[in-house]
Amino acid sequence: MFLQAHSIASANYSEGSVELAETACVLANAYSNVGQMDADTSAESYLLEALTTYQSEYGPNHEKTLTVNDEMARLAVRMERQEEAIAILRRSLSAKTEVFGPFCDQVANTHKMIGSIHLSQSQLTKALKAFRKCYSIESTSYGAHHRRTRESLRTIDLLMANPAIANSMTKSRTEEISSRPRFNTIIR
């Protein structure tokens, strides 16, 4: 069905049109949901088609281009090309900061995805660094008691529970103060 929609769009619109790129994105999403290697390679080709069109029409710092970049990174992770996914995400970080702002959901999610990839590769210090960046953005945007912020803090705490990480990483002054027991002014 999606392939028919894309072929109808390619018959009605010229090569490199935005409409054709939008149908390519939908078709790539459908292929990537299948979960087979053949479907993933088809999804990658349609995402590349959409990415080149969006970059030529809107430029590299547009919301649609950045969304396709994120999909390319997710697909690279599924195809077990983690280094490529990290490279895609790192390239898009400065553009996301410019387009959405430094304390937005997209930048926090990018740091979280980078941290997850590093965690899957057992690179715990790099994962901790990425999750800390995510946590600082989420705590600024949502506050300390939001569900997402608490989940990120829980992940950081789990990583810090590893003795190798805990010994190599120093706590910031605020983390050190918050981990101390509360001062009680009542003398008994």
Side-chain angles (χ1 to χ4, degrees):
M1 181 167 86
F2 293 116
L3 187 58
Q4 282 181 327
H6 186 67
S7 63
I8 290 171
S10 62
N12 290 332
Y13 297 104
S14 64
E15 183 71 27
S17 68
V18 176
E19 292 82 5
L20 195 60
E22 288 173 358
T23 59
C25 282
V26 171
L27 187 57
N29 191 15
Y31 273 124
S32 65
N33 287 334
V34 170
Q36 296 174 351
M37 197 61 157
D38 300 346
D40 285 343
T41 55
S42 296
E44 184 178 24
S45 68
Y46 285 114
L47 281 175
L48 283 173
E49 176 186 334
L51 184 63
T52 55
T53 301
Y54 285 149
Q55 283 180 340
S56 66
E57 288 291 320
Y58 299 125
N61 294 350
H62 191 268
E63 183 177 347
K64 289 186 178 188
T65 306
L66 295 172
T67 303
V68 173
N69 267 334
D70 285 348
E71 290 301 319
M72 288 288 292
R74 285 186 193 94
L75 186 64
V77 168
R78 273 198 308 275
M79 295 174 79
E80 296 181 8
R81 298 188 318 222
Q82 282 82 6
E83 294 302 321
E84 181 182 339
I86 289 174
I88 291 170
L89 292 170
R90 286 193 195 277
R91 278 195 311 263
S92 70
L93 258 176
S94 62
K96 286 180 183 178
T97 304
E98 183 180 319
V99 171
F100 301 113
F103 299 106
C104 70
D105 211 19
Q106 289 84 355
V107 175
N109 287 339
T110 301
H111 284 296
K112 189 176 281 189
M113 191 181 299
I114 289 171
S116 298
I117 294 169
H118 283 308
L119 196 59
S120 72
Q121 294 177 325
S122 299
Q123 298 173 343
L124 301 180
T125 54
K126 290 180 180 181
L128 181 63
K129 185 178 177 182
F131 278 114
R132 279 187 171 172
K133 287 180 184 178
C134 174
Y135 173 74
S136 69
I137 293 169
E138 287 177 343
S139 64
T140 303
S141 299
Y142 301 122
H145 300 294
H146 193 271
R147 178 185 54 85
R148 285 183 165 186
T149 309
R150 288 193 318 253
E151 287 174 359
S152 295
L153 184 61
R154 196 172 310 128
T155 305
I156 291 170
D157 289 341
L158 285 172
L159 287 171
M160 289 297 290
N162 186 341
I165 298 293
N167 293 337
S168 67
M169 299 299 263
T170 59
K171 289 184 178 180
S172 69
R173 183 78 177 145
T174 55
E175 289 174 337
E176 186 179 323
I177 290 173
S178 67
S179 66
R180 292 180 185 169
R182 289 186 162 272
F183 180 72
N184 193 350
T185 58
I186 300 174
I187 300 175
R188 293 181 189 202

